[in-house]
Amino acid sequence: GQVRDENFKKERAFAERYKRLFFCLVWMHSVLLERRKFKTLGWNVPYDFNDSDFLVCENILDVYVEKYKEKTPWDAIQYLIADAS
């Protein structure tokens, strides 16, 4: 997945929260991609986080930030991004 300006320019009620979460997701994605060259060194199992996983996670962020305007369900987002995908 390629990060485009549209990800940051979308009009959202809570755009600042989305931008911060999206930056964290991009950072996590880049760390995982960089770690691939070391295979399992320092990790218990190889982890293959690819572009489609990134897009799914971005969609999760988009849906949850839009749907839960008052209180963001952090536990659900963390589970869906870190554990399920």
Side-chain angles (χ1 to χ4, degrees), residues 55 62 72:
L55 294 175
D62 194 26
T72 305

Side-chain angles (χ1 to χ4, degrees), residues 3-28 54 58 61-66 72 74 77:
V3 177
R4 297 174 306 280
D5 287 338
E6 293 89 45
N7 295 101
F8 288 104
K9 290 182 180 178
K10 291 180 182 176
E11 290 297 323
R12 293 186 167 85
F14 294 92
E16 193 60 35
R17 185 183 333 166
Y18 174 81
K19 285 179 186 180
R20 290 177 183 193
L21 289 170
F22 185 69
F23 176 80
C24 292
L25 179 64
V26 170
W27 180 80
M28 182 185 81
F54 175 78
E58 194 276 327
L61 277 183
D62 194 26
V63 168
Y64 274 77
V65 169
E66 285 292 324
T72 305
W74 300 114
I77 291 173

Side-chain angles (χ1 to χ4, degrees), residues 25-84:
L25 179 64
V26 170
W27 180 80
M28 182 185 81
H29 181 62
S30 65
V31 168
L32 291 172
L33 289 179
E34 187 67 20
R35 287 288 305 161
R36 275 201 277 192
K37 67 181 172 186
F38 299 107
K39 308 250 188 261
T40 59
L41 182 64
W43 293 47
N44 291 334
V45 294
Y47 189 75
D48 189 28
F49 190 83
N50 56 36
D51 290 343
S52 62
D53 293 322
F54 175 78
L55 294 175
V56 167
C57 292
E58 194 276 327
N59 286 336
I60 290 169
L61 277 183
D62 194 26
V63 168
Y64 274 77
V65 169
E66 285 292 324
K67 186 173 182 180
Y68 297 96
K69 293 178 178 16
E70 295 299 317
K71 182 172 165 94
T72 305
W74 300 114
D75 291 337
I77 291 173
Q78 180 181 353
Y79 174 76
L80 290 170
I81 291 176
D83 296 337

